[in-house]
């Protein structure tokens, strides 16, 4: 768990399949709002963002990823559960090694002690504003 006032460094990976993107679903109790974010997690000391990305995908959903391509580094200032947050995001595009991940609709996993859901979402749902993608800068990669 991160401390208040701490800047978190994360590696996030966008997996796309034609008009769909594989994302983690979240809920902000402060805003009472569902949102979606690319899979990934924190970069540990001494670990590259690329290595962190591969480790996080494996830890969370037991998935190996390939064709890892660096896209961007984004600084994200946000509010979650009525508390300010600050993250530096290393953004990658990648593919699943195992084709079974392209066949599933939803996948439940644990992030620490929290239960989460990952799922395929139509990219257009974010472009039309039907669903919320965080951070919004990710829209340009869909």
């Amino acid at each position: 768990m991160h401390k208040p006032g701490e800047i978190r460094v994360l590696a996030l990976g966008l997996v796309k399949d034609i008009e769909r993107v594989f994302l983690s679903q979240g809920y902000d109790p402060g805003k009472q709002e569902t949102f979606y974010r690319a899979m990934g997690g924190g970069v540990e000391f001494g670990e590259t963002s690329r290595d962190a990305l591969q480790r996080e995908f494996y830890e969370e959903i037991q998935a190996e990823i390939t064709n890892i391509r660096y896209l961007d580094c984004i600084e994200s200032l946000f509010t979650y559960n009525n508390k300010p947050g600050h993250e530096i995001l290393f953004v990658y595009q990648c593919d699943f090694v195992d084709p079974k991940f392209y066949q599933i609709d939803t996948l439940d996993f644990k992030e620490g002690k929290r239960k989460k859901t990952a799922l395929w979402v139509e990219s257009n749902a974010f472009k039309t504003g039907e669903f919320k993608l965080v951070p919004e800068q990710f829209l340009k990669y869909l």
Side-chain angles (χ1 to χ4, degrees), residues 3 5-6 17 22 26 28 33 36 67 69 77 82 108 125 135:
K3 300 178 208 90
E6 176 181 68
D17 180 34
F22 193 76
D28 184 337
E33 178 178 74
Y36 298 85
N67 302 326
R69 298 170 301 287
L77 298 163
N82 302 319
D108 294 324

Side-chain angles (χ1 to χ4, degrees), residues 1-60:
M1 199 65 188
H2 64 284
K3 300 178 208 90
E6 176 181 68
I7 299 173
R8 295 184 67 213
V9 178
L10 303 171
L12 301 178
L14 282 171
V15 181
K16 297 196 290 190
D17 180 34
I18 308 169
E19 292 298 316
R20 305 182 307 162
V21 61
F22 193 76
L23 300 165
S24 172
Q25 185 180 60
Y27 182 76
D28 184 337
K31 296 176 187 149
Q32 297 186 358
E33 178 178 74
T34 298
F35 63 89
Y36 298 85
R37 180 158 106 168
M39 297 285 299
V43 179
E44 295 177 359
F45 183 81
E47 179 180 52
T48 67
S49 60
R50 184 187 174 100
D51 288 346
L53 182 69
Q54 291 178 290
R55 176 184 52 75
E56 287 284 346
F57 264 80
Y58 194 79
E59 283 178 3
E60 291 179 351

